[in-house]
Amino acid sequence: MGRGARRTTERRERSRRPVLLVAGLALLVLVAGPIIGFFLVYTAPSQEWFARVNGVAIPRTALVDVLRANQIDASLEHLPFDARAQAFDTATLLIENEVLRQKADTLGVAVSEEDVERELAAQLAPQLDPADLDTSGRAELAEAKRQYADLRRLDVDELERLAEGELLRREATEALGRSIPDPQPQLRLHSIVVADVETAARIESEAAQGVPFEELVRRYSFEPAAGDLGWLPYDALPPAAADLLWSLPPLEFAPPFQREDGAIVVYVVSTRDPSRELDPVARQLAEEVAFESWLGETLAAQEVELQLDSETLEWVAEQLAQTPSLGPRV
């Protein structure tokens, strides 16, 4: 699954949420995430599971298998891999996938075995027609799955469960997107991305002296493409900045914000429209926000038991250290 295993540790770039910088130094956290319904278990780690969602166990072996697949993918792409750092992201993804399996039907979403087969065919055997898999096509897909899973030391059943999770996530996002109003009020947002608060202050000073915004982007922004962020509804704005930006007067610079990656962002609103159709990018952002909100609220309402203490992490690291050199298993 070309992007399947790798996506287990990816958190969308949209997670680079800004935090307002007050007086150039202090951080004002404007948004707090939902409280997750985790009940951390401090006993010795189970030999069978690392988490349970409403009593349904997620095996420790699944955590190791997915991490190992990501480790091998990183090796194939000559990228660094930090098992302990990625263990928490991977554990969260597996828990979220289980919540989706249990609760996606509340959105009218269901994924069949045939849907999973078509998804894997599109990813692993693009020469096949996913909508019309005959006997020979199914055999070809089965071999493609075996080869992909074998290279990454990943069980085929786990590969299929990852694909199921991707599909449920996508279908749930689309289902929630159908309830998003369109058209709706939007603003035209611009930004300048710099390395420090001092540069942000210099930008505001030069803007007050009449230097055009485009020139400021050219001089200072290390992400020139982010100069014009397009038309955005409220739900597609950076979460920590949404309320301030929504009320910001046109052409007035917002206070500098700090993203999670450390970059400093200065925002400017050029104009507003009280009723405008969503463009594809704005719709995608709004759909992702709607999904993350639904998933957070749904996850918080579940009974989730988590055993991911130092002993479990040490065991996971030991298992990954035993990963043999790349190549098909014999």
Side-chain angles (χ1 to χ4, degrees):
M1 188 172 56
R3 58 183 182 274
R6 285 193 298 273
R7 286 185 58 186
T8 62
T9 54
E10 289 178 0
R11 306 302 292 172
R12 303 190 253 331
E13 283 295 316
R14 64 180 183 278
S15 66
R16 303 194 319 187
R17 298 176 178 177
V19 176
L20 176 61
L21 287 172
V22 179
L25 293 175
L27 297 183
L28 176 62
V29 180
L30 299 181
V31 173
I35 298 175
I36 306 303
F38 283 178
F39 300 95
L40 186 60
V41 179
Y42 290 101
T43 58
S46 165
Q47 294 301 309
E48 297 181 353
W49 56 271
F50 78 91
R52 292 196 297 195
V53 179
N54 300 321
V56 176
I58 307 175
R60 289 203 301 170
T61 53
L63 177 61
V64 172
D65 285 350
V66 176
L67 279 168
R68 181 182 290 116
N70 290 340
Q71 179 185 36
I72 292 173
D73 267 345
S75 176
L76 290 169
E77 298 181 12
H78 306 289
L79 297 174
F81 182 82
D82 185 336
R84 283 183 174 267
Q86 294 201 27
F88 291 97
D89 285 342
T90 302
T92 297
L93 181 108
L94 294 176
I95 290 169
E96 289 177 351
N97 283 355
E98 183 56 42
V99 170
L100 284 166
R101 290 186 189 96
Q102 296 183 25
K103 298 299 177 180
D105 60 348
T106 63
L107 298 175
V109 170
V111 170
S112 67
E113 292 182 4
E114 291 74 18
D115 294 331
V116 173
E117 287 286 281
R118 286 191 288 269
E119 176 72 8
L120 287 170
Q123 294 187 24
L124 300 180
Q127 72 278 9
L128 300 176
D129 181 0
D132 186 22
L133 290 174
D134 56 17
T135 302
S136 63
R138 291 183 183 279
E140 190 172 348
L141 174 58
E143 178 60 17
K145 289 193 293 185
R146 186 197 66 78
Q147 290 184 10
Y148 180 90
D150 197 53
L151 177 61
R152 289 158 180 82
R153 311 294 187 264
L154 185 66
D155 187 84
V156 171
D157 288 342
E158 191 61 48
L159 175 66
E160 292 172 345
R161 288 176 69 81
L162 288 171
E164 179 191 25
E166 288 186 14
L167 275 172
L168 285 169
R169 193 173 295 262
R170 189 163 68 230
E171 293 294 329
T173 300
E174 291 177 0
L176 289 163
R178 288 192 283 272
S179 65
I180 294 175
D182 193 5
Q184 61 176 286
Q186 297 180 62
L187 54 78
R188 187 71 177 269
L189 187 63
H190 308 263
S191 71
I192 302 176
V193 185
V194 296
D196 51 57
V197 177
E198 291 74 20
T199 305
R202 189 180 309 123
I203 288 171
E204 188 167 5
S205 174
E206 292 186 13
Q209 298 172 23
V211 178
F213 181 83
E214 295 78 6
E215 177 63 18
L216 294 172
V217 171
R218 189 189 66 80
R219 287 183 188 178
Y220 297 111
S221 183
F222 58 76
E223 290 183 10
D228 185 353
L229 300 176
W231 287 94
L232 297 173
Y234 178 88
D235 287 341
L237 296 174
D243 288 339
L244 187 149
L245 294 177
W246 199 249
S247 60
L248 189 71
L251 304 181
E252 182 175 311
F253 278 72
F257 284 75
Q258 185 174 48
R259 298 192 313 205
E260 287 186 357
D261 64 355
I264 306 299
V265 188
V266 178
Y267 292 109
V268 178
V269 174
S270 62
T271 187
R272 301 172 181 275
D273 192 325
S275 181
R276 182 182 179 89
E277 290 187 1
L278 296 171
D279 65 31
V281 173
R283 169 161 286 280
Q284 180 182 356
L285 290 170
E287 288 177 352
E288 290 174 351
V289 169
F291 172 77
E292 293 294 341
S293 176
W294 175 86
L295 181 60
E297 293 174 2
T298 303
L299 183 57
Q302 311 311 307
E303 182 178 342
V304 180
E305 301 169 78
L306 179 65
Q307 293 185 146
L308 203 58
D309 56 12
S310 59
E311 187 175 345
T312 301
L313 291 173
E314 182 178 350
W315 178 84
V316 168
E318 290 173 354
Q319 300 304 304
L320 292 175
Q322 299 172 20
T323 301
S325 59
L326 298 182
R329 284 175 288 192
V330 296

